[in-house]
C-alpha cells in the first residue's frame, strides 16, 4: 500500500498498547475479543441449607430505614406534578444538603452530579478521561467489581498494596512512575479489608499525587453513614479528581444513588455523557433520599457503633486464638490465610460460608472476607474457633 514500515509498526504498537489487538510472534496479530463481563462473581461459595452465611457483603437489613414513607412523600411533592424532559437533573435540596456534608468533611468545592451508585460514578469518570489501553492503579486487595470494571473498559490495572491505613505510598509512587494515569481509592470501609485512610497516610498520598498532578483521582466514600472514623480526602491533589458518596450501605443498595463532585471538567463530562444515556437519576428517588436525610432516618453514630462492636468482637475472638485479622471500619473483616481453597472448604464443612479472597485481590497474598453486618455476639466464639481450626495448629498466625 506504499505505507512506510515504521508507520505501520507504530500503528501496531498503538493498537497493542490500547488493548485493541494482541500479538503472538510468528502467528501474527489479531483483534482482541470483547473483554469478559462475567467478572469474579463466579468465585463464590454456594451456601447449603443450615450453613451460616457471612460472605455476602450486605448491610444489616435491621439497620436500614424503611423507604415506603420517604417515596410516598417524594412522589407527592409539588402536588405530585411529574418531572418532564428538560427539568433540572439534580434536585436542588439534595445538592444543598450533599454540599453541606462534603464541606463539613473537607472535600473541595466543585459542581455536583447524581449517579446510579459508586460503580456507575467510577465508570463514567474513567470513560470521561481515559482511552483503552491506559493503566489504572487499583487497591490490592480491593473491591472485586472495580477489578472487573477496569479491564471491561479496555483499561489495564496495576495493583497498589493496602494496609489498615489505606494504599501504601511507595506502591502508589511505583504505579504512577510506571505510567498509571488514574488511581481509585476507597477512603473508608474499604472492601474487603476495612481499611480507612488515616491523616498521616493521606498526607503521604497527597505528596505522591502532587508530584504526578496529571493523575485522574477517584475517591469512593461508600462508607459514609456507617463508619465512625473521620474522612481524610485526597481530592484536590491533582488537576482532575472525582469524589463519590453512595447511599447504598447506609440507606439500602436498592436506592441505586450516589452524589458525585469533582473538578469542573470532569463533572461536566460526566453530566454531558449522562444526558446522552439515561438523562438523569430519578428525581423521585432523589427527593426520597432528601426526605431520609432530613428526617434523620439513619442514626449514623449508632449504626457505626453497631458495626464496630461486631467487627471488634470477632477480631478480638480471633486474636485470642492466635489468628490475625484486619477491619478498622465498615462491615467486613479480612483474615490472611495460607490456602484460601482449603480454609473456605473447611469452614463450609464446619457450618460457615465465607468469601474467598480471590474475588478481591490481584497479587496480594491469600485471605478470606467475613461480613460481620449480621453477626451476633454469641457467634464470635464459635466462628473464631472454626477459623482457627481451619487454619490448623501453630503459633500466632499473620500471613502478609
Amino acid at each position: 500500500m506504499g505505507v512506510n514500515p515504521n508507520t505501520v509498526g507504530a500503528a501496531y504498537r498503538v493498537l497493542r498498547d490500547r488493548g485493541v489487538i494482541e500479538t503472538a510472534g510468528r502467528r501474527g496479530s489479531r483483534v482482541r475479543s470483547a473483554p469478559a463481563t462475567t467478572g469474579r462473581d463466579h468465585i463464590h461459595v454456594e451456601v447449603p441449607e443450615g450453613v451460616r452465611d457471612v460472605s455476602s457483603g450486605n448491610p444489616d437489613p435491621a439497620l436500614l430505614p424503611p423507604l415506603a414513607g420517604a417515596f410516598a412523600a417524594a412522589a407527592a411533592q409539588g402536588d405530585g406534578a411529574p418531572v418532564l424532559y428538560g427539568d433540572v437533573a439534580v434536585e436542588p435540596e439534595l445538592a444543598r444538603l450533599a454540599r453541606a456534608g462534603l464541606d463539613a468533611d473537607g472535600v473541595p468545592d466543585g459542581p455536583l452530579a447524581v449517579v446510579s451508585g459508586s460503580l456507575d460514578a467510577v465508570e463514567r469518570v474513567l470513560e470521561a478521561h481515559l482511552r483503552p489501553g491506559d493503566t489504572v492503579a487499583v487497591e490490592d486487595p480491593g473491591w472485586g467489581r472495580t477489578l472487573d470494571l477496569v479491564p471491561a473498559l479496555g483499561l489495564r490495572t496495576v495493583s497498589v498494596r493496602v494496609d489498615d491505613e489505606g494504599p501504601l505510598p511507595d506502591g502508589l509512587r511505583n504505579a504512577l512512575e510506571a505510567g498509571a494515569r488514574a488511581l481509585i481509592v476507597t477512603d473508608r470501609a474499604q472492601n474487603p479489608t476495612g481499611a480507612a485512610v488515616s491523616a498521616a497516610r493521606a498526607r503521604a498520598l497527597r505528596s505522591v499525587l502532587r508530584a504526578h498532578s496529571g493523575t485522574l483521582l477517584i475517591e469512593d466514600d461508600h462508607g459514609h453513614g456507617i463508619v465512625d472514623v473521620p474522612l481524610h480526602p485526597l481530592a484536590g491533589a491533582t488537576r482532575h479528581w472525582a469524589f463519590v458518596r453512595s447511599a447504598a450501605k447506609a440507606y439500602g443498595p436498592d436506592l441505586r444513588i450516589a452524589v458525585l463532585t469533582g473538578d469542573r471538567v470532569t463533572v461536566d463530562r460526566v453530566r454531558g455523557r449522562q444526558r446522552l444515556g439515561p438523562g438523569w437519576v430519578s428525581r423521585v428517588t432523589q427527593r426520597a433520599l432528601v426526605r431520609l436525610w432530613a428526617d434523620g432516618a439513619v442514626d449514623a453514630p449508632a449504626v457505626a457503633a453497631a458495626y464496630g462492636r461486631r467487627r471488634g468482637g470477632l477480631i478480638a475472638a480471633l486474636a485470642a486464638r492466635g489468628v490475625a485479622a484486619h477491619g478498622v471500619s465498615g462491615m467486613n473483616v479480612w483474615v490472611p490465610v495460607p490456602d484460601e481453597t482449603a480454609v473456605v472448604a473447611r469452614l463450609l464443612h464446619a457450618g460457615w460460608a465465607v468469601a474467598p479472597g480471590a474475588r478481591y485481590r490481584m497479587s496480594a497474598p491469600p485471605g478470606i472476607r467475613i461480613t460481620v453486618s449480621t453477626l451476633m455476639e454469641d457467634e464470635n466464639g464459635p466462628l473464631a474457633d472454626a477459623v482457627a481450626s481451619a487454619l490448623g495448629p501453630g503459633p500466632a498466625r499473620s500471613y502478609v
Side-chain angles (χ1 to χ4, degrees):
M1 297 177 63
V3 179
N4 188 298
N6 293 332
T7 302
V8 174
Y12 270 87
R13 282 194 300 274
V14 170
L15 290 169
R16 184 176 63 249
D17 291 343
R18 297 295 175 195
V20 177
I21 66 171
E22 55 189 13
T23 56
R26 292 183 178 180
R27 288 181 293 176
S29 302
R30 66 182 180 87
V31 177
R32 294 181 64 184
S33 59
T37 56
T38 53
R40 298 163 184 255
D41 286 347
H42 70 283
I43 307 175
H44 70 283
V45 175
E46 296 291 344
V47 184
E49 186 176 350
V51 171
R52 179 70 163 93
D53 185 4
V54 288
S55 69
S56 70
N58 277 311
D60 182 356
L63 297 178
L64 298 176
L67 302 180
F71 272 91
Q77 188 172 332
D79 296 325
V83 175
L84 302 175
Y85 295 113
D87 285 351
V88 296
V90 178
E91 187 69 21
E93 184 63 5
L94 182 141
R96 186 186 71 80
L97 293 175
R99 188 67 258 175
L102 294 168
D103 289 343
D105 282 333
V107 179
D109 192 20
L112 289 173
V114 177
V115 292
S116 298
S118 293
L119 204 62
D120 183 43
V122 171
E123 178 175 3
R124 291 183 181 282
V125 173
L126 289 174
E127 290 189 318
H129 284 282
L130 304 188
R131 296 181 296 171
D134 286 341
T135 301
V136 180
V138 295
E139 297 164 328
D140 188 15
W143 190 19
R145 293 291 178 88
T146 300
L147 302 183
D148 290 337
L149 172 64
V150 173
L153 296 175
L155 305 170
R156 302 172 185 270
T157 56
V158 59
S159 65
V160 178
R161 292 288 298 277
V162 174
D163 66 11
D164 289 339
E165 298 182 69
L168 298 175
D170 285 345
L172 174 59
R173 183 179 296 105
N174 292 339
L176 297 181
E177 290 178 351
R181 294 196 57 209
L183 166 68
I184 304 172
V185 176
T186 310
D187 290 309
R188 303 178 287 187
Q190 198 260 10
N191 190 355
T193 69
V197 176
S198 66
R201 181 61 53 81
R203 286 193 296 271
L205 292 172
R206 282 195 293 266
S207 177
V208 174
L209 288 167
R210 288 191 189 103
H212 299 270
S213 60
T215 303
L216 171 63
L217 169 65
I218 304 174
E219 291 182 89
D220 178 4
D221 189 33
H222 70 261
H224 178 68
I226 67 164
V227 296
D228 52 7
V229 295
L231 177 73
H232 299 289
L234 309 179
T238 60
R239 290 193 299 274
H240 296 303
W241 59 275
F243 183 97
V244 58
R245 177 164 281 179
S246 168
K249 297 298 188 295
Y251 295 89
D254 197 39
L255 278 176
R256 312 312 304 150
I257 188 170
V259 173
L260 170 71
T261 187
D263 68 277
R264 186 163 297 281
V265 169
T266 297
V267 177
D268 282 351
R269 289 179 180 178
V270 168
R271 286 171 170 172
R273 183 62 184 87
Q274 192 178 38
R275 283 194 295 270
L276 298 177
W280 68 92
V281 172
S282 163
R283 288 275 299 281
V284 173
T285 302
Q286 294 185 47
R287 290 171 181 172
L289 181 58
V290 168
R291 180 56 63 102
L292 292 167
W293 285 347
D295 291 347
V298 170
D299 184 343
V303 171
Y307 287 139
R309 286 193 301 272
R310 295 166 194 180
R311 283 193 327 273
L314 178 59
I315 290 172
L318 289 168
R321 293 157 177 79
V323 179
H326 303 271
V328 299
S329 64
M331 58 183 66
N332 295 302
V333 168
W334 177 257
V335 183
V337 300
D339 184 337
E340 284 178 19
T341 303
V343 170
V344 169
R346 290 168 188 160
L347 283 171
L348 196 63
H349 182 72
W352 299 92
V354 302
R359 293 176 62 180
Y360 312 102
R361 60 186 182 84
M362 297 172 63
S363 60
I368 57 172
R369 190 196 71 178
I370 301 173
T371 300
V372 302
S373 55
T374 62
L375 195 65
M376 297 294 101
E377 185 176 356
D378 60 1
E379 293 180 303
N380 287 327
L383 176 53
D385 285 338
V387 172
S389 177
L391 289 173
R397 310 166 183 86
S398 177
Y399 306 96
V400 296

